[in-house]
């Protein structure tokens, strides 16, 4: 079940991805992200301190999902080692 905070984070992430399809990250403002996501700037800054944090947070969540789904590893560091072995 998604919490209010996770819904906000998902909206921000989706909005940021949509904007990245249109232009480079340096040309995307926080205001544009929050308007597209339908959230306030306060909600944005409650969850992130920069645009890079949006991607980092998504990747962290994906690693946790991958770990749980595949029951392979227990941490991001283990995931990185596992990925290195695959590649």
């Amino acid at each position: 079940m998604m919490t209010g905070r996770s819904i906000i984070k998902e909206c921000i992430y989706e909005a940021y991805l949509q904007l990245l399809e249109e232009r480079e990250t340096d040309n995307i403002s926080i205001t544009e992200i929050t308007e597209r996501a339908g959230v306030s700037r306060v909600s944005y800054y409650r969850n992130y301190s920069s645009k890079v944090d949006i991607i980092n947070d998504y990747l962290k969540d994906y690693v946790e999902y991958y770990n749980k789904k595949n029951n392979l590893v227990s941490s991001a560091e283990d995931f990185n080692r596992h990925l290195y072995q695959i590649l």
Side-chain angles (χ1 to χ4, degrees):
M1 182 173 165
M2 291 185 81
T3 64
R5 185 173 183 165
S6 61
I7 292 170
I8 289 169
K9 291 172 86 170
E10 182 69 22
C11 289
I12 291 170
Y13 173 73
E14 289 296 326
Y16 187 49
L17 277 186
Q18 290 171 8
L19 289 164
L20 282 172
E21 289 178 2
E22 298 170 12
R23 56 189 172 279
E24 294 184 19
T25 191
D26 290 342
N27 298 320
I28 299 171
S29 70
I30 302 305
T31 300
E32 289 175 302
I33 295 170
T34 58
E35 286 176 355
R36 176 113 13 142
V39 302
S40 70
R41 287 177 69 87
V42 171
S43 292
Y44 174 87
Y45 285 110
R46 189 175 293 134
N47 291 284
Y48 303 109
S49 60
S50 71
K51 293 180 274 186
V52 171
D53 288 345
I54 299 169
I55 300 300
N56 287 339
D57 192 52
Y58 178 80
L59 291 174
K60 181 183 80 57
D61 289 347
Y62 182 80
V63 167
E64 289 174 7
Y65 166 78
Y66 179 89
N67 290 344
K68 190 179 290 186
K69 180 180 177 193
N70 295 294
N71 198 26
L72 296 174
V73 291
S74 59
S75 70
E77 185 177 307
D78 290 339
F79 177 81
N80 289 341
R81 272 187 254 141
H82 178 73
L83 188 57
Y84 180 75
Q85 290 174 346
I86 292 171
L87 299 175

